[in-house]
Amino acid sequence: MGNFEPITPEVEVETEENLVATVTNDEKKVFSDLGSQLSSMALICQEEFDKISDFEGPLNDIQAKVLNWEADQSIIWERGPDEATKYLNVVDEARTLTEKLEALSLSNEDGVKEMLLRAHNVLQMVMARLEEEFKNILVENSQPYDPDLLSFGSSEEEFADVGLNRTSEEFTIDLVHQDKIHDLRCTANVMFKSNYGHECVEYVTLKQDVLDECLFVLEMEKMSIGDVLKLEWGNLSATMKRWARAMKTFVRIYLMGEKWLSEQVFGDLGVNLMCFSEASKPSMFQLLNFGEAISIGPHKTEKLYSILEMYKVLEDLLPDIDSLYSDEADSSVRTEFHEVLRRLGDAVRAAFLEFENAVATCTSTTPLATGGIHPSTKYVMNYVRTLTDYHETLNLLLEDHSREDAVETCPDKSPALGEESTSEDACAITPMACHFLSIVSILERNIEDKAKLYKNPSLRQVFLINNIHYMAQKVKNSELRLIFGDDWIRKRNWKVQQHAWNYERVTWSSVLGFFYLAFEEVYKNQKGWSIPDDQLRKDLRISISNKVILAYRSFVGRHSYHVKSSLEDMFEGMQKQLQYPHRR
């Protein structure tokens, strides 16, 4: 084959000068910028490779220090603040070096990746150590909890001795020694800066255990709703009282302290509410679970006081709970607290209405032999008197059940209302007063029905005297006076006087007609009757004496000593034999 000559194209070949001549000014600018960028990238790569070599020495130094600390398994924070500060400084150096290597990791050079892996391993090692140290500080420096020391009458010195802080009327307890809170805060800050904040979840677990121990000390064992409903009344009543005390102590002393501690340790990191909420949820739900069990149990009358006390405790703690769990992230405790409070309120209302029903349906077929105060009279009046301690709560809970048929429900009306009061006036009295007036009115009717069981008309009047007088005195000598008013008391006293007149009429009229034999017969029949109230017994004796002795002054001149002595024995509730030296 011969030599080939190059084929010259027919078209004109553009020279470099011709090409440049045809490029526009904008295209020139693009080419210029591209060249500058390529030059910059080349310089950056050169600088990166120059810095990589600078990390080798510091990384080796940090790793050596960390391994030296790891070889010594003693607690760093127990070696003193200087040693702890040195360790935290090394941790901070490891974090900073790792962050710089991560910034250079865009290059695919094996040297960078290898060094970054070493840095991460060192950082994980120190974070694991910090987690262990953090846990140790919490455990070893926790303050012991003793509820017996929480006396609200203690002196300032006594509060200081047990780690209690008093501000106004609120009390908090130092859950960790004050001088260790700084160490906890510094440790947490370093861990969060290193993106190892999730390791502090150990705090939540530890605090859950501590709060469980707190409930154990407060004698609140874990019980399911079924377990609570199976308790006998004696055990249940005692547990309800312990619950009320435990709830107040737990929220206002312990949870307040936990919230404060969480704020001190994690306040700058934005997770203090989460840590506090997660740590306290299990214990709070345990306490609220008991309250829920009580709310759905049988609403018997004897439970009313205890349920009222539980409701009042939650009602008083409501502002504290809203403050402790103010964030939306921990609203579950707040929501459950409000729900249990509502349910206990329903239980209080149901138990109270059951009490009203029990009074209305209380019947008896056997009269008291002595004509004394019936047990139901004592029970109802003392029950109502004790309930006045909860007047604010009852007025709130009974409000919706006191506006219908107000006049019929409140037959005696309010002390501020006259006989000509209207239904609008009746509606103006408090819901609790309306129910109390209704209950006592029903009790009066029951007393009248029980009085009919007596075949002896005299003993019937004695029974009415005793029971109505007892009701009037209970109202007069207690807070019930403010509810029932003096007019109500005067009406009952007038009833007592009427029954006393009836007693004298049916009993002593025969004596006035045929004194001695009739008197002896009356005395024999009535010597075992009873009027417990001293003043009432004295007044009735005087009244009888005035009628009997004055009417038969001439006869009494011969037998006055025996008659007076016999009258003084009456209504003592004791059987005695009438003694006369002779009989006519």
Side-chain angles (χ1 to χ4, degrees):
M1 299 181 63
N3 294 328
F4 291 95
E5 294 293 334
I7 300 176
T8 302
E10 295 180 358
V11 295
E12 182 181 355
V13 178
E14 293 184 349
T15 63
E16 181 178 350
E17 290 78 4
N18 291 335
L19 179 62
V20 172
T22 61
V23 175
T24 65
N25 290 332
D26 290 340
E27 290 171 334
K28 288 180 182 179
K29 187 176 185 305
V30 171
F31 285 122
S32 176
D33 291 342
L34 180 60
S36 298
Q37 292 177 12
L38 291 173
S39 299
S40 298
M41 290 178 62
L43 290 174
I44 291 173
C45 291
Q46 183 62 43
E47 290 176 0
E48 286 181 353
F49 289 121
D50 290 341
K51 289 181 179 179
I52 290 174
S53 61
D54 294 338
F55 289 131
E56 185 72 30
L59 180 57
N60 290 337
D61 183 52
I62 292 172
Q63 188 173 28
K65 292 178 181 178
V66 170
L67 292 174
N68 183 56
W69 266 305
E70 288 299 311
D72 185 353
Q73 292 299 311
S74 62
I75 304 300
I76 297 173
W77 264 256
E78 292 180 354
R79 304 180 198 175
D82 291 341
E83 191 73 9
T85 300
K86 290 179 182 179
Y87 190 81
L88 289 178
N89 288 337
V90 170
V91 173
D92 195 58
E93 290 175 6
R95 176 184 61 80
T96 303
L97 185 144
T98 303
E99 290 175 353
K100 291 181 178 179
L101 285 172
E102 287 175 343
L104 300 177
S105 63
L106 294 176
S107 64
N108 293 323
E109 295 297 325
D110 293 338
V112 177
K113 292 182 178 179
E114 180 182 354
M115 194 171 296
L116 181 59
L117 180 60
R118 286 178 58 200
H120 274 298
N121 290 337
V122 172
L123 192 60
Q124 288 178 359
M125 191 179 301
V126 295
M127 288 299 113
R129 184 62 177 266
L130 281 182
E131 181 182 357
E132 181 182 347
E133 296 280 339
F134 187 85
K135 177 179 178 180
N136 181 75
I137 296 173
L138 275 177
V139 173
E140 296 300 325
N141 296 281
S142 294
Q143 297 273 51
Y145 173 67
D146 184 356
D148 294 334
L149 295 177
L150 299 179
S151 171
F152 289 89
S154 300
S155 65
E156 295 290 347
E157 293 77 12
E158 290 172 325
F159 276 95
D161 290 341
V162 297
L164 283 168
N165 296 321
R166 179 158 63 180
T167 304
S168 299
E169 297 181 354
E170 294 185 357
F171 297 81
T172 58
I173 186 170
D174 293 332
L175 305 178
V176 174
H177 288 291
Q178 283 285 331
D179 57 351
K180 296 299 179 182
I181 293 179
H182 174 75
D183 296 339
L184 289 170
R185 182 168 57 246
C186 290
T187 305
N189 282 336
V190 170
M191 295 179 74
F192 272 83
K193 285 181 180 178
S194 305
N195 295 323
Y196 280 81
H198 62 279
E199 302 296 338
C200 285
V201 75
E202 185 70 21
Y203 174 90
V204 173
T205 303
L206 287 171
K207 284 314 198 173
Q208 287 178 349
D209 294 340
V210 170
L211 293 176
D212 284 345
E213 178 66 20
C214 174
L215 292 187
F216 177 79
V217 173
L218 292 171
E219 301 181 75
M220 286 306 300
E221 59 180 303
K222 290 184 179 180
M223 290 188 290
S224 66
I225 292 179
D227 294 334
V228 176
L229 296 178
K230 292 177 183 177
L231 289 176
E232 296 180 356
W233 169 237
N235 291 333
L236 181 60
S237 177
T239 306
M240 292 168 77
K241 291 177 181 178
R242 289 198 304 271
W243 180 93
R245 179 178 183 272
M247 180 62 83
K248 288 186 288 188
T249 303
F250 190 77
V251 172
R252 288 189 169 162
I253 302 295
Y254 225 82
L255 286 192
M256 289 293 186
E258 287 290 354
K259 180 73 173 289
W260 182 87
L261 177 61
S262 180
E263 289 173 347
Q264 294 301 305
V265 175
F266 301 109
D268 297 334
L269 305 173
V271 296
N272 56 303
L273 291 177
M274 182 275 292
C275 289
F276 165 75
S277 175
E278 292 302 317
S280 60
K281 272 183 183 179
S283 297
M284 275 303 299
F285 283 143
Q286 177 183 336
L287 289 171
L288 293 175
N289 187 63
F290 179 83
E292 182 180 359
I294 295 299
S295 71
I296 65 176
H299 304 135
K300 296 182 179 179
T301 298
E302 62 267 22
K303 292 184 179 180
L304 180 55
Y305 293 125
S306 298
I307 300 176
L308 258 172
E309 187 59 33
M310 290 178 64
Y311 179 90
K312 195 171 185 302
V313 166
L314 293 191
E315 186 180 40
D316 291 343
L317 291 176
L318 193 57
D320 301 279
I321 293 297
D322 287 343
S323 175
L324 286 168
Y325 299 94
S326 58
D327 193 70
E328 285 301 319
D330 52 22
S331 62
S332 59
V333 173
R334 189 174 68 249
T335 300
E336 183 65 15
F337 190 95
H338 281 258
E339 179 62 17
V340 172
L341 177 64
R342 183 191 66 78
R343 291 181 180 179
L344 284 175
D346 292 341
V348 167
R349 191 181 300 109
F352 183 87
L353 296 178
E354 178 62 28
F355 167 61
E356 278 190 299
N357 183 63
V359 175
T361 58
C362 177
T363 59
S364 178
T365 58
T366 305
L368 291 178
T370 63
I373 303 169
H374 199 278
S376 65
T377 304
K378 293 181 179 180
Y379 178 80
V380 172
M381 293 307 300
N382 283 293
Y383 199 99
V384 170
R385 181 186 61 80
T386 306
L387 286 175
T388 58
D389 294 338
Y390 303 91
H391 65 278
E392 292 182 357
T393 301
L394 285 174
N395 280 329
L396 175 65
L397 296 176
L398 296 174
E399 184 173 8
D400 296 337
H401 296 263
S402 302
R403 297 311 178 193
E404 297 180 2
D405 303 323
V407 176
E408 290 78 2
T409 308
C410 311
D412 287 288
K413 304 183 178 65
S414 166
L417 303 176
E419 291 295 334
E420 303 301 323
S421 60
T422 65
S423 60
E424 292 182 359
D425 295 326
C427 290
I429 69 173
T430 66
M432 186 187 75
C434 191
H435 281 272
F436 280 11
L437 288 165
S438 174
I439 290 171
V440 172
S441 178
I442 293 171
L443 176 62
E444 275 193 274
R445 291 197 294 269
N446 288 347
I447 290 172
E448 292 171 358
D449 290 339
K450 290 180 175 67
K452 296 175 183 178
L453 297 173
Y454 291 96
K455 295 180 179 180
N456 186 314
S458 298
L459 186 55
R460 180 184 307 139
Q461 298 302 317
V462 170
F463 175 78
L464 290 169
I465 290 171
N466 280 326
N467 285 267
I468 297 176
H469 180 265
Y470 181 87
M471 292 171 62
Q473 290 300 107
K474 277 294 177 182
V475 171
K476 179 181 177 181
N477 299 324
S478 70
E479 299 84 353
L480 290 172
R481 186 170 188 167
L482 299 175
I483 298 174
F484 287 77
D486 291 339
D487 186 56
W488 186 95
I489 298 173
R490 283 193 293 269
K491 288 180 180 179
R492 271 70 207 168
N493 288 337
W494 174 246
K495 284 187 177 183
V496 171
Q497 187 61 53
Q498 285 182 315
H499 289 302
W501 290 337
N502 290 336
Y503 160 78
E504 293 170 4
R505 178 179 56 79
V506 299
T507 301
W508 297 101
S509 58
S510 62
V511 176
L512 295 176
F514 192 57
F515 177 75
Y516 180 74
L517 293 177
F519 179 82
E520 184 179 39
E521 184 66 22
V522 169
Y523 177 80
K524 182 175 66 176
N525 290 335
Q526 298 187 14
K527 59 190 174 184
W529 298 359
S530 172
I531 295 182
D533 187 84
D534 292 340
Q535 187 60 46
L536 184 61
R537 185 169 61 247
K538 181 180 178 181
D539 292 344
L540 192 55
R541 285 171 177 169
I542 292 174
S543 179
I544 295 171
S545 297
N546 289 336
K547 288 181 172 58
V548 175
I549 296 177
L550 292 179
Y552 288 87
R553 191 182 300 274
S554 60
F555 180 83
V556 171
R558 299 172 58 188
H559 299 282
S560 61
Y561 173 78
H562 300 291
V563 172
K564 289 180 179 179
S565 298
S566 299
L567 288 174
E568 290 176 356
D569 287 340
M570 293 186 68
F571 310 123
E572 293 285 353
M574 297 180 293
Q575 295 288 343
K576 291 185 177 180
Q577 184 65 37
L578 181 62
Q579 298 293 334
Y580 278 106
H582 56 83
R583 297 182 61 177
R584 298 279 183 184

